[in-house]
Amino acid sequence: MEVIEVKQVWQDVKKELKETLPSHVFDTWIMPLEATGFDNNIFSLLTVHQMAVEIIRKNHYAKIKSALEKVLGVDAEFSICYDADLAEKYKKEKQKEKAKQKKEVDNDEQSKTMENLAQMQSFSNLNLKYRFDNFVVGENSRFAHAAAYAVAQNPAKKFNPLFIYGASGLGKTHLMQAIGHHVIFHKPKLKVRYIKTEEYVNELIKNLQHGGERNARMEKFRQKYRNIDVLLIDDIQFLESKTYTMEEIFHTFDSLHNNNKQIVITSDRLPKDIPTLPDRLRTRFEMGLVVDITPPDFETRVAILKNLAEQISMKIDFEVFEYIANNFVNNVRELEGAFNKVSAYADIENTDVTLAFAKKVLNCEAHKKELSIDDIAKATAECYGVTIADFKSPSRNQKVSSARHVAVYLTREITEKSFENIAEFFNKKHTTMLYSYEKIKEDMKTNKDLDRTISEIKNKLKD
């Protein structure tokens, strides 16, 4: 009998045996058997299990013989031998099969996880772009990153609240949202919600409007931000002068903190530098851990650019990274903007990103140098008919004081300088600089002449 006929006979025999043997017996002892020949009415079988020879002859001999004779139509015997090579082959096939099944299960689980993650991200209001694995840590952000990661691993265990402050575009939002992503991915049972302060204020105002079930709307609004495990509030400085919103934030903060829920807050300044923030909120914001992020140094800027290139698998000359890092020094946002501009032009023109190409696209040499405090102080002093020496003097002259207030306001608005830096230049206290800034900011709302004067100084600085 040809081998192909032998194998077909064995397939028919297995069908008979499957109906008469328990499934666990059939799967364990019969399925692995391989038919190799039929000579002199003896059907030859090989097994991959050493124990199978004895077990099959002792427990299943009669049923196999009966099924074999039924299919062949003649009296027949069978022999069974252990084959080490076949056993090894069988073992490898089983391993492949298990690996394939595991991969399918893993893919299903990953698919479900990603689906759940997408739903959680939607609920949490998070952007998948901001994660720990694509945040470049430098000396400017090392402590803030470590604190954020510690909070993400163990929400509400320490550093609660975590208050992250720094100028715009340095990575505060990135770290905050990275906390949220880490939590929903590693602790999916916890509820996370991210909100910008401005959006929170607008939502609150909408729910306060008259008409319909206002009380029911407000209760639903409050529960939205209190019935969660991790609350992420971005740009808290926009709470300034919003009394009712501060009241809502205060009660939400207390509700979450008293129930051992994590709170993370970002701001462009320290809690004590938000002048209209009431003491009861300020002290609560400061009761956990307050960390800052400063502008990245040259090495960190280069590392950020390399990371951006790796993310889109774009090959870029190292000298391009150096060029961009040397010309965009204030924050990560403008650094990323410059990189995106260069890479986009390269895609459009289908060309390599060389130093010459980057210089052509960015044209940094044609841009004016960044305005310094000295530049702004000189322009303001000239407008008011005073001197920088007057600004730095202890003089309380009304004309000097008014001009100094404006110079401080413009410096804060135009540059990335902190109040500490500004105070050092003007030889004044930090709180005095803060007062000057807030005074001009408020006066401009009603004083049209002041608003015009400041616009004139700004225009002069552009020339």
Side-chain angles (χ1 to χ4, degrees), residues 298 302 305 315-328 335 338-339 342-343 352-359 362:
F298 175 76
V302 169
L305 292 167
K315 186 178 180 181
I316 298 178
D317 294 341
F318 186 76
E319 56 188 2
V320 175
F321 297 143
E322 292 183 312
Y323 175 74
I324 299 175
N326 275 319
N327 285 281
F328 297 87
L335 196 68
F339 174 85
V342 171
S343 59
D352 294 333
V353 181
T354 62
L355 179 59
F357 181 78
K359 284 184 175 182
L362 297 175

Side-chain angles (χ1 to χ4, degrees), residues 25 117 122 212 233 256 301 310-311 325 372 395 419 427 442 450 457:
V25 172
L117 183 60
S122 177
I233 309 177
L256 291 171
R301 296 198 297 275
E310 288 171 3
Q311 287 181 40
S372 65
S395 172
F419 284 113
N427 196 27
E442 285 300 312
L450 175 62
I457 298 172

Side-chain angles (χ1 to χ4, degrees), residues 33 382 406:
L33 293 174
E382 184 177 340
V406 171

Side-chain angles (χ1 to χ4, degrees), residues 387-406:
T387 66
I388 291 180
D390 291 331
F391 286 157
K392 297 183 178 183
S393 74
S395 172
R396 294 181 178 274
N397 179 280
Q398 182 63 41
K399 186 178 181 181
V400 173
S401 294
S402 297
R404 186 192 297 120
H405 292 330
V406 171

Side-chain angles (χ1 to χ4, degrees), residues 64-78:
I64 293 176
K65 185 177 186 303
S66 175
L68 187 61
E69 290 176 343
K70 182 177 179 181
V71 171
L72 289 170
V74 297
D75 291 337
E77 289 285 342
F78 69 89

